[in-house]
Amino acid sequence: YSYKTIGTQVWMTENLAYLPSVVGPGTGSNSTAYYYVYGYDGTDVDAAKATSNYTTYGVLYNWPAAQSACPSGWHLPSDAEWTTFTDDLGGASVAGGKLKEAGTAHWNSPNIGATNESGFTALPGGGRRNKGKFGGIGVNGNWWSSTVDNTNNAWNRNLGYDNSSVSRDGSSKGSGFSVRCLRD
């Protein structure tokens, strides 16, 4: 994986693509690890890896899967580490633009504020919604943190095509989001 020092941290600059198994969006759990590839509804890992969404956006993980997905020497960033990251980039209101890939090759227009000044190259991989459907490709990108919000939810960060901010959301652990790993 490509990586870059951004502020005081070393981040992967592409979404994680670790895929030991795969299921369709109708299968979900807040406690059992599941892996998804946007738009793929099957269980064949090789077929899922052959899709353009896998190649471009990597894998979507529910929160239990995200906990152990990062390779040795890397970890799923905590909510506090995400906050440090966005603070280093000038705060949540402007950091999104500095994180997003510039242009509209992947992001829907107008992709407000996108400069990728940080080199993070955030892509709008969408997610697996807790209702068992994929949504949001081209519109938003969501990345897990390792931090629990409450029994059913965990904190994540969200970027959208229509603003330059980074949103902090507590989402169902059964949702499928992207993962960016942080060096230990």
Side-chain angles (χ1 to χ4, degrees):
Y1 290 95
S2 300
Y3 59 89
K4 182 174 183 187
T5 300
I6 305 171
T8 58
Q9 302 165 319
V10 180
W11 285 86
M12 286 186 176
T13 56
E14 54 192 300
N15 290 345
L16 197 64
Y18 171 67
L19 189 65
S21 64
V22 65
V23 294
T27 302
S29 172
N30 281 359
S31 57
T32 301
Y34 287 114
Y35 308 83
Y36 309 93
V37 172
Y38 195 102
Y40 181 77
D41 189 4
T43 58
D44 184 325
V45 171
D46 291 333
K49 285 182 175 182
T51 66
S52 62
N53 284 338
Y54 172 83
T55 303
T56 303
Y57 302 107
V59 173
L60 300 172
Y61 303 85
N62 72 354
W63 192 75
Q67 296 307 295
S68 60
C70 291
S72 178
W74 298 82
H75 65 275
L76 187 65
S78 69
D79 184 57
E81 288 170 326
W82 273 108
T83 299
T84 296
F85 186 39
T86 55
D87 287 351
D88 284 350
L89 293 172
S93 65
V94 297
K98 296 175 182 180
L99 295 172
K100 292 189 294 181
E101 176 190 62
T104 54
H106 297 105
W107 287 94
N108 287 0
S109 183
N111 198 15
I112 292 174
T115 64
N116 197 28
E117 175 185 319
S118 67
F120 188 79
T121 317
L123 295 174
R128 183 239 178 216
R129 306 304 181 214
N130 201 39
K131 300 207 186 315
K133 297 189 182 312
F134 292 121
I137 204 163
V139 173
N140 64 355
N142 306 276
W143 292 268
W144 283 120
S145 84
S146 62
T147 308
V148 170
D149 174 19
N150 60 44
T151 303
N152 295 314
N153 295 342
W155 292 110
N156 64 88
R157 294 303 189 276
N158 176 291
L159 302 175
Y161 78 102
D162 58 351
N163 64 71
S164 60
S165 64
V166 177
S167 298
R168 175 180 178 261
D169 301 308
S171 296
S172 168
K173 294 176 184 176
S175 300
F177 293 153
S178 299
V179 165
R180 290 288 180 105
C181 303
L182 186 60
R183 184 177 277 165
D184 291 349

